[in-house]
């Protein structure tokens, strides 16, 4: 069966002036990811990345480590939602960052708003991007998609037909540098495994990050 790997970017730089840069931890996560891709000896098909710098840096580092000489196709639909915009749009004064983000995501997914930054537009764009990748993967090949937690949560919760709360729960736990595996066949695209990060565990607890 054709397979699709949804790969979350490595740890970004939340304490730096520019969040959208891989941190040293993020580069190590991407390197270990690349080593794991090499170990699996995949027959690699399409390689796609969002346009965010942290996604493209993860792709470049992992592909180089894996010895995969492919330039990813950049597609904005694989970009993350704008979490800072959501925190401003749905402000909550108390709680941790994660609690405030969960509350903002609950409001965002529950309003039914239309428009450029709406949940339906984000979700439908992700669905369309996934459909294009699935159609392009040949039999026995694996597509690699370098993306972000919210996109992975949107894809996986949609495939499992969960309510919006399922998206929020998945979004919360996607590990940097993890792999979620989909299979595509006559019955459509299905989730086979979610948030696989075993390749990071021997690197120590500092590699288990979520931002």
């Amino acid at each position: 069966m054709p397979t699709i790997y949804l790969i979350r970017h490595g740890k970004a730089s939340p304490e730096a002036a520019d969040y959208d840069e891989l941190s040293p931890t993020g580069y190590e996560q991407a390197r270990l990811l690349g080593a794991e891709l090499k170990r699996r000896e995949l027959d690699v098909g399409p390689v796609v990345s969002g346009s965010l710098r942290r996604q493209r840096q993860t792709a470049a580092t992992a592909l180089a480590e894996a010895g995969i000489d492919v330039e990813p196709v950049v597609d904005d639909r694989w970009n993350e939602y704008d979490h800072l915009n959501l925190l401003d749009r749905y402000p909550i004064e108390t709680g941790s960052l994660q609690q405030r983000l969960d509350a903002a995501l609950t409001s965002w997914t529950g309003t039914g708003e239309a428009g450029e930054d709406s949940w339906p537009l984000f979700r439908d764009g992700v669905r369309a991007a996934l459909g294009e990748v699935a159609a392009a993967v040949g039999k026995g090949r694996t597509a690699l998609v370098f993306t972000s937690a919210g996109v992975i949560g949107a894809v996986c919760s949609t495939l499992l037909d969960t309510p919006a709360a399922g998206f929020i729960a998945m979004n919360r736990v996607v590990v940097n540098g993890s792999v979620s595996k989909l299979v595509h066949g006559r019955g459509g695209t299905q989730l086979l495994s979610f948030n696989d990060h075993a390749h990071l565990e021997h690197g120590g607890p500092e590699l288990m990050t979520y931002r």
Side-chain angles (χ1 to χ4, degrees):
M1 267 188 168
T3 60
I4 302 168
Y5 281 13
L6 301 181
I7 299 169
R8 191 188 177 191
H9 62 79
K11 179 178 172 59
S13 300
E15 293 82 22
D18 186 357
Y19 173 81
D20 194 20
E21 287 279 350
L22 281 190
S23 64
T25 296
Y27 276 108
E28 178 62 7
Q29 290 164 332
R31 187 191 69 77
L32 290 173
L33 167 67
E36 175 64 14
L37 295 177
K38 183 176 183 179
R39 186 191 69 79
R40 296 188 185 192
E41 299 183 338
L42 304 171
D43 183 1
V44 175
V47 180
V48 184
S49 172
S51 64
L52 299 177
R53 196 177 303 116
R54 59 190 183 272
Q55 297 169 338
R56 292 183 286 112
Q57 290 170 338
T58 300
T61 303
L63 294 173
E65 184 70 23
I68 300 171
D69 187 17
V70 176
E71 184 68 26
V73 173
V74 175
D75 185 342
D76 289 347
R77 293 174 298 179
W78 293 106
N79 287 358
E80 183 64 291
Y81 57 78
D82 187 342
H83 73 286
L84 294 178
N85 174 276
L86 292 180
L87 289 169
D88 287 341
R89 194 189 309 179
Y90 307 105
I92 301 293
E93 298 300 327
T94 59
S96 67
L97 174 60
Q98 188 62 61
Q99 289 169 330
R100 290 186 287 120
L101 180 58
D102 284 354
L105 290 172
T106 298
S107 297
W108 185 49
T109 57
T111 58
E113 293 176 348
E116 183 177 348
D117 296 323
S118 69
W119 161 247
L121 189 65
F122 175 79
R123 179 196 59 207
D124 293 347
V126 169
R127 286 173 174 170
L130 176 64
E132 290 180 16
V133 171
V137 186
K139 184 177 181 181
R141 309 198 80 191
T142 299
L144 306 179
V145 180
F146 294 87
T147 183
S148 293
V151 178
I152 295 169
V155 168
C156 294
S157 62
T158 296
L159 293 177
L160 294 175
D161 196 25
T162 73
F167 155 68
I168 296 169
M170 287 184 156
N171 174 76
R172 188 185 305 125
V173 299
V174 181
V175 174
N176 292 113
S178 64
V179 177
S180 295
K181 184 176 180 180
L182 315 179
V183 293
H184 181 72
R186 293 180 182 177
T189 305
Q190 300 178 62
L191 176 62
L192 189 61
S193 65
F194 172 68
N195 203 26
D196 178 8
H197 52 274
H199 51 284
L200 304 176
E201 290 183 337
H202 67 82
E206 65 272 12
L207 294 184
M208 297 292 294
T209 63
Y210 302 89
R211 287 283 174 268

